[in-house]
Amino acid sequence: MSLKIIQAEAAALYEIRHRNLRVGQPVGTERMPGIDEHPDTIHLLLMQNGEGIGCATFMPEPSQDSKWRLRGMAIDEAHRRQGHGERLIDYFLNMESGGVWCNARTSALKFYQHCGFVAEGEEFDIYPIGPHFIMRRK
């Protein structure tokens, strides 16, 4: 098994985002206009044996003491619970400093806590995706 994390163009992440984060929604909803093409946005692609199995997008969006916002984090179902998501986050934090925050799906709360994120505030809903928490890792 050959794992590799690379910086990629946003388009390389679209299929992974759609099949993991936009199930039942139309193609195109996985795109983040204004974010994906921003020159300071960093897109990471996790590849196994040359195939994309996970992704994460980091954009500069300061909030409190965090410089970066994590968006579009996804790992294919067959590859979850193997530390791949944490690898993507750690890879980014080894590249950039300033802390990371995100709107985490409530269903992924334990994953983000395992990665060192702390939940803030009350649960809130993002339609049509569902319940979320703001989470932060310094």
Side-chain angles (χ1 to χ4, degrees):
M1 169 176 76
S2 172
L3 283 175
K4 185 176 183 180
I5 297 174
I6 62 168
Q7 280 190 249
E9 295 295 320
L13 283 59
Y14 292 160
E15 187 177 326
I16 297 167
R17 283 184 192 164
H18 190 265
R19 70 178 174 243
N20 288 284
L21 302 175
R22 299 294 185 257
V23 175
Q25 295 183 33
V27 170
T29 58
E30 72 283 354
R31 298 172 190 227
M32 297 183 281
I35 297 165
D36 283 337
E37 66 277 358
H38 191 281
D40 295 329
T41 297
I42 297 171
H43 303 284
L44 297 180
L45 179 62
L46 175 66
M47 302 187 71
Q48 182 178 35
N49 301 323
E51 179 183 339
I53 62 165
C55 64
T57 294
F58 297 87
M59 59 181 281
E61 186 178 324
S63 170
Q64 295 178 14
D65 57 355
S66 299
K67 177 181 176 184
W68 296 92
R69 181 174 178 185
L70 169 59
R71 305 282 309 256
M73 173 87 182
I75 303 293
D76 285 340
E77 182 75 36
H79 300 280
R80 293 181 191 159
R81 294 170 198 70
Q82 298 174 35
H84 299 325
E86 188 172 15
R87 279 185 189 90
L88 280 168
I89 293 167
D90 288 344
Y91 183 93
F92 176 77
L93 289 172
N94 284 324
M95 288 174 42
E96 299 288 338
S97 61
V100 175
W101 72 278
C102 65
N103 288 332
R105 293 174 189 225
T106 300
S107 61
L109 190 66
K110 288 183 188 215
F111 161 75
Y112 284 104
Q113 289 171 330
H114 174 79
C115 293
F117 284 74
V118 175
E120 297 179 350
E122 300 293 320
E123 182 180 64
F124 61 96
D125 192 62
I126 297 177
Y127 178 82
I129 302 165
H132 286 69
F133 280 93
I134 292 176
M135 299 195 79
R136 188 175 314 278
R137 177 173 163 182
K138 299 180 179 166

